[in-house]
Amino acid sequence: MPSPTERRLATAVLVIGTGGSGLRAAIQLAERGTDVIVVGKRPSADAHTTLAAGGINAALATMDPDDSWQQHAADTLKESYFLADPNTVRIVTEGAARGIADLERWGMPFAREADGRISQRYFGAHTFRRTAFAGDYTGLEIQRTLVNRARQLDVPIIDTMYVTSILTRDGVVFGAYGFDVGDGTRYVVHADAVILAAGGHTRIWRRTSSRRDENTGDAFRLAVTAGARIRDPELVQFHPSGLLEPEDAAGTLVSEAARGEGGILRNQLGERFMQRYDPVRMELSTRDRVALAAYTEIKQGRGTPDGGVWLDVSHLPRETIMQRLPRVYQTLIELQMLDITTTPIEIAPTAHYSMGGVWVRPEDHGTEVAGLYAIGEAASGLHGANRLGGNSLIELLVYGRIAGDAAADYSADLDAQPRSATAVAEARDEVDQVLAADGPENVRSLQRAVRDTMTEHAGVVRDETGLKAGLARLDDIEAAEKDIGVHPDLAGFQDMAHAFDLRSSLVAAHATMEAALERRETRGCHNRSDFPDLDETLQVNLVWSGPGQIVHEPVAETPVEIAALVREVSTAGKLVE
């Protein structure tokens, strides 16, 4: 029977996730007059989107008149090592200018040239300058703009709700179940369609640019238990420069601008080690190559005592650091009381971005579950084996709009909505069982065990022996998870949220390790020491639907006119992502 504190809500479309992609979808729905509710476990003003610093891509040609969406598409496909879906790439690059125009219309404060044009700069392996920005707070400004627009449209946002289950009947969505992380109130939300915008899975590594309790793989678990599949979970981008200390902030990013402004990487012996890995570009090499270089130095015993390498900007003029790297300076003062104008920074590679995610159709980001859509870092298709810097923010806008339209149309066309009292009861029972858990195992210690396992066995470099050992360790953690203790207190029900985070992390970790084991090659971000070469027969997407269930899906052909634009991009004077 339902609890007396179980609230029932109804809407045409439910959006799960309060970040940029979820808000953009909600705005589209509200502007069309379709009922929508946005829910999430994190305050909308502090969603993960706010951390994106560099910029947002669109071939506006405000700086380089020869730029085009076709060239943007070619650059994206090349950087993906041709694992990105060409149709998805076309839709994002062709729709990017409209995404920027939407933000402008809603008051986004883009940096501009003296004549009023939106300023654009080089970012990553782009042929032309096509990254628009707002200082080094682009993601924060985008999130603010979207939150303000959602408020203008009176979009209901419940950003204290943890979704535990997407409700389905006979493979058709009819809503979601969850609880309030503050007071434990249960929610049954009936909805014609659900848009999943719950982020990626990079928090399952020990060092990560994601903060505590975000990007824990929620989207993976919610999608798979609803009947959807996961594509390319092994393809995770590791950022070269994450902090090692303090422990509760391990993985916090040191902006790549530090290398772009002339920062030098050294090992414990004082060697400028990029000479060994990319003597031409040195510290301006690609993310995946710099991360691999640092990992190799540490693994071969030339790292710092704490397991990192040194990033040194102290040789730069103090004025340069204070003017060009103010955020880096402030971050190190706040976290470590370290003055980067005089002292090098200890860093190591950190898990940064999930390039794989829920399997979706390119035309509308619908899944194989009727009425279920996935967008943002929760989805897959655009990035392949290496994300082109600046593409993630534009993806939010383009597919937020498209999925919003698709969900609105789906809802409008429904003759009736099938519901299932059994499905609701099962979701309720799952929460009851977690709430009643009174075993000896500590959730936080098991979360740490998952992160340690992923770091040791599925980090920057993987091999068969390590991955198999990692999978065995995950099985042990999963067995221990059945004996956890959950103890809500006056501070709220976060302990129960952590228990569900752990379940999500285990699903994401299994998917990642099994796909990494299956991809017997080195391609982009995925490094197999036992298979160091790229294998042309593995130019496929790996699609995971549960333990031991992986299929190879061919990637669609790149259109001839786009393939003709694939070229080697000059890296002179550019920091390459």
Side-chain angles (χ1 to χ4, degrees):
M1 293 291 293
S3 158
T5 55
E6 186 172 87
R7 293 186 60 194
R8 288 180 174 257
L9 305 175
T11 185
V13 182
L14 173 66
V15 177
I16 302 172
T18 58
S21 58
L23 290 177
R24 180 62 188 90
I27 289 166
Q28 190 68 15
L29 287 153
E31 288 188 340
R32 287 187 48 159
T34 301
D35 283 345
V36 58
I37 296 174
V38 181
V39 302
K41 66 179 185 179
R42 187 169 204 100
S44 57
D46 191 35
H48 189 66
T49 305
T50 61
L51 300 185
I56 180 169
N57 296 337
L60 304 177
T62 59
M63 308 297 286
D64 295 315
D66 291 337
D67 200 10
S68 65
W69 73 260
Q70 292 93 337
Q71 187 61 60
H72 185 187
D75 292 351
T76 299
L77 285 163
K78 178 179 182 291
E79 195 73 359
S80 80
Y81 289 74
F82 298 97
L83 291 188
D85 174 71
N87 293 320
T88 300
V89 172
R90 174 187 58 78
I91 288 167
V92 170
T93 54
E94 196 172 11
R98 178 175 174 180
I100 298 294
D102 287 339
L103 286 180
E104 278 192 283
R105 186 157 46 90
W106 300 328
M108 171 77 184
F110 283 112
R112 295 182 182 270
E113 296 296 299
D115 60 4
R117 288 172 296 149
I118 288 180
S119 184
Q120 294 193 283
R121 60 188 177 195
Y122 280 121
F123 197 58
H126 294 271
T127 304
F128 297 106
R129 289 172 288 178
R130 65 167 71 98
T131 303
F133 58 96
D136 60 356
Y137 294 90
T138 308
L140 178 61
E141 293 294 354
I142 288 174
Q143 185 73 6
R144 284 174 174 166
T145 300
L146 295 174
V147 167
N148 288 339
R149 181 58 181 156
R151 284 177 179 155
Q152 290 171 3
L153 293 165
D154 294 322
V155 172
I157 299 175
I158 306 172
D159 55 9
T160 55
M161 178 177 166
Y162 193 109
V163 175
T164 60
S165 180
I166 292 173
L167 300 172
T168 63
R169 174 177 171 176
D170 298 330
V172 180
V173 159
F174 71 91
Y177 192 87
F179 65 91
D180 189 285
V181 295
D183 62 18
T185 297
R186 307 287 185 85
Y187 286 93
V188 179
V189 186
H190 287 121
D192 297 336
V194 172
I195 298 177
L196 185 56
H201 69 309
T202 51
R203 185 67 199 174
I204 68 174
W205 280 267
R206 188 166 58 230
R207 298 191 189 105
T208 169
S209 57
S210 295
R211 297 165 297 186
R212 285 176 70 139
D213 308 326
E214 67 181 12
N215 289 327
T216 48
D218 303 16
F220 282 41
R221 184 180 63 84
L222 290 172
V224 170
T225 54
R229 301 186 298 160
I230 306 300
R231 178 166 49 193
D232 295 335
E234 80 283 9
L235 299 179
V236 175
Q237 188 173 64
F238 284 83
H239 193 289
S241 47
L243 295 179
L244 276 68
E245 297 290 341
E247 186 178 346
D248 62 356
T252 298
L253 293 189
V254 176
S255 170
E256 288 178 303
R259 300 197 329 270
E261 294 297 334
I264 291 172
L265 290 168
R266 299 189 190 278
N267 60 22
Q268 184 65 10
L269 303 177
E271 297 170 328
R272 192 173 176 182
F273 60 82
M274 284 308 299
Q275 184 75 42
R276 276 195 279 275
Y277 304 92
D278 193 342
V280 175
R281 294 182 292 195
M282 298 289 281
E283 284 84 6
L284 299 184
S285 188
T286 58
R287 252 186 203 172
D288 55 347
R289 191 167 293 191
V290 177
L292 178 60
Y295 174 88
T296 304
E297 291 296 305
I298 296 164
K299 203 74 172 174
Q300 294 182 355
R302 295 185 293 275
T304 61
D306 290 332
V309 294
W310 298 113
L311 171 59
D312 192 3
V313 296
S314 64
H315 57 283
L316 300 175
R318 183 180 176 85
E319 310 80 68
T320 299
I321 292 172
M322 302 308 289
Q323 290 173 13
R324 305 300 289 270
L325 303 172
R327 257 180 116 178
V328 177
Y329 178 84
Q330 189 66 30
T331 296
L332 269 297
I333 288 289
E334 289 177 357
L335 291 179
Q336 298 182 5
M337 285 300 293
L338 187 146
D339 182 355
I340 65 171
T341 66
T342 61
T343 310
I345 311 162
E346 194 173 14
I347 60 165
T350 183
H352 180 54
Y353 191 88
S354 304
M355 290 176 290
V358 180
W359 184 100
V360 288
R361 297 183 296 264
E363 60 269 22
D364 62 0
H365 268 218
T367 68
E368 294 150 309
V369 180
L372 178 62
Y373 303 81
I375 53 176
E377 199 171 351
S380 62
L382 178 63
H383 307 294
N386 204 34
R387 177 174 66 92
L388 190 64
N391 268 359
S392 52
L393 288 177
I394 196 62
E395 179 187 17
L396 307 182
L397 300 178
V398 174
Y399 273 115
R401 172 178 58 79
I402 289 171
D405 279 336
D409 292 342
Y410 174 86
S411 173
D413 290 343
L414 272 186
D415 292 327
Q417 186 198 43
R419 295 181 182 175
S420 166
T422 301
V424 175
E426 288 173 352
R428 183 183 300 123
D429 289 346
E430 182 185 30
V431 177
D432 286 343
Q433 288 165 15
V434 171
L435 188 56
D438 194 27
E441 293 288 351
N442 180 276
V443 170
R444 283 301 200 192
S445 68
L446 293 180
Q447 285 179 321
R448 192 175 303 114
V450 172
R451 293 197 294 270
D452 288 344
T453 301
M454 293 302 294
T455 300
E456 183 176 353
H457 299 298
V460 178
V461 179
R462 298 99 180 249
D463 62 39
E464 182 171 348
T465 302
L467 289 165
K468 286 182 174 178
L471 284 166
R473 178 69 181 119
L474 290 179
D475 288 340
D476 293 339
I477 298 168
E478 199 157 51
E481 187 264 341
K482 294 176 173 57
D483 292 320
I484 59 170
V486 173
H487 309 289
D489 55 27
L490 290 175
F493 283 69
Q494 285 83 4
D495 207 31
M496 187 156 72
H498 300 156
F500 278 99
D501 282 349
L502 174 60
R503 289 189 176 185
S504 297
S505 295
L506 283 164
V507 171
H510 271 106
T512 301
M513 282 207 184
E514 289 190 5
L517 193 57
E518 183 73 9
R519 187 170 290 284
R520 295 174 176 86
E521 66 164 351
T522 290
R523 183 187 294 263
C525 66
H526 177 70
N527 296 285
R528 283 285 297 264
S529 59
D530 47 349
F531 292 96
D533 300 318
L534 186 144
D535 184 345
E536 295 293 350
T537 67
L538 284 172
Q539 190 186 328
V540 296
N541 298 128
L542 301 181
V543 184
W544 186 89
S545 53
Q549 302 174 64
I550 295 181
V551 297
H552 293 210
E553 281 196 352
V555 180
E557 287 289 320
T558 300
V560 174
E561 64 273 19
I562 301 297
L565 295 172
V566 172
R567 63 183 81 175
E568 287 299 321
V569 179
S570 170
T571 59
K574 290 195 291 183
L575 183 70
V576 183
E577 262 194 7

